[in-house]
Amino acid sequence: DAMVIQNPRYQVTQFGKPVTLSCSQTLNHNVMYWYQQKSSQAPKLLFHYYDKDFNNEADTPDNFQSRRPNTSFCFLDIRSPGLGDAAMYLCATSRDPNGDTQYFGPGTRLTVL
Amino acid sequence: QKEVEQDPGPLSVPEGAIVSLNCTYSNSAFQYFMWYRQYSRKGPELLMYTYSSGNKEDGRFTAQVDKSSKYISLFIRDSQPSDSATYLCAMSARNQGGKLIFGQGTELSVKP
């Protein structure tokens, strides 16, 4: 089945220790998104890639970066995680960036000790 | 004021009840409206997608969009315990990179 896969599902890191979250997709979609969802809150867009074009939300902290080495994979790098970065990180994909349906992966739950 | 407002609940109903979930929004540029279901510790799953105003039905689910009132609804008929989840409304405007603006989510519990 075509799908969005996130690894790992659970990640524990120490305060200030860099961490990388992974997303892959078999849908061959052009757009990949990263959302942050804190407990009992709505998902919030961090950034997205339309093909190789990177688009950063204005309020996304500099501590967060992303890479998309090819169509199928996208990575979220958190350079120096703080306690406030503990959250569920959701990857989503869509065919195009104008109103097309977004399909979400299962998420990676990040804990910062 | 948030762009999208959604009553967080929790909402508890008996099995078989009709459930009504609602969101209001302030941005008149929104054209694409979605409802996602999210089970605990899982990613959101798309339930309904509507472009502009109107109704859409899929099985026990009906989505309504009233752009003149900036109000969207999701109705669940014959609710089942397996419908117990958090329901998120989401919407986007054209030429915004597909950025979804989500409501806070309504936590629904359907009791057997």
Side-chain angles (χ1 to χ4, degrees):
Chain A
D1 285 342
M3 55 185 5
V4 181
I5 302 160
Q6 290 188 246
N7 285 304
R9 294 291 313 280
Y10 300 91
Q11 176 73 59
V12 180
T13 190
Q14 292 181 334
F15 184 94
K17 185 174 181 181
V19 66
T20 294
L21 309 182
S22 167
C23 177
S24 64
Q25 53 127 343
T26 61
L27 297 160
N28 203 31
H29 282 172
N30 295 314
V31 194
M32 295 186 78
Y33 305 83
W34 280 104
Y35 288 85
Q36 179 193 61
Q37 186 179 26
K38 295 187 176 180
S39 182
S40 301
Q41 295 186 22
K44 180 177 176 298
L45 183 65
L46 295 173
F47 25 58
H48 77 274
Y49 273 95
Y50 182 20
D51 289 330
K52 294 187 190 305
D53 293 334
F54 175 70
N55 297 271
N56 198 32
E57 291 299 301
D59 56 355
T60 298
D62 293 340
N63 198 25
F64 291 85
Q65 296 179 336
S66 184
R67 297 169 283 137
R68 189 178 185 187
N70 54 53
T71 302
S72 302
F73 283 87
C74 196
F75 300 98
L76 170 61
D77 300 309
I78 309 176
R79 289 191 296 183
S80 182
L83 297 178
D85 297 327
M88 173 81 92
Y89 289 89
L90 296 164
C91 175
T93 74
S94 68
R95 283 174 299 183
D96 74 64
N98 278 315
D100 195 28
T101 305
Q102 290 186 25
Y103 296 91
F104 284 81
T108 295
R109 182 164 293 278
L110 177 68
T111 300
V112 181
L113 301 178
Chain B
Q1 182 188 7
K2 293 180 183 176
E3 276 192 284
V4 180
E5 299 275 2
Q6 182 177 6
D7 186 341
L11 180 63
S12 182
V13 301
E15 184 174 355
I18 296 175
V19 176
S20 172
L21 304 168
N22 311 295
C23 287
T24 59
Y25 63 95
S26 57
N27 187 348
S28 57
F30 288 145
Q31 293 183 294
Y32 310 99
F33 303 92
M34 286 138 271
W35 285 95
Y36 285 86
R37 177 174 62 194
Q38 187 173 26
Y39 291 111
S40 181
R41 299 182 178 270
K42 299 287 178 65
E45 170 195 8
L46 181 70
L47 280 177
M48 301 291 281
Y49 175 96
T50 309
Y51 170 68
S52 195
S53 284
N55 296 351
K56 186 172 183 179
E57 186 173 324
D58 184 2
R60 296 185 295 112
F61 298 91
T62 299
Q64 291 184 350
V65 175
D66 182 348
K67 288 192 71 179
S68 62
S69 301
K70 298 190 179 70
Y71 187 88
I72 71 170
S73 300
L74 177 71
F75 297 95
I76 307 174
R77 290 183 299 280
D78 187 25
S79 56
Q80 303 295 310
S82 59
D83 295 328
S84 299
T86 296
Y87 289 80
L88 295 152
C89 64
M91 45 200 81
S92 66
R94 195 163 181 80
N95 297 324
Q96 293 297 310
K99 178 179 180 178
L100 286 180
I101 307 297
F102 284 86
Q104 187 179 351
T106 299
E107 184 182 348
L108 171 67
S109 176
V110 181
K111 304 293 187 186

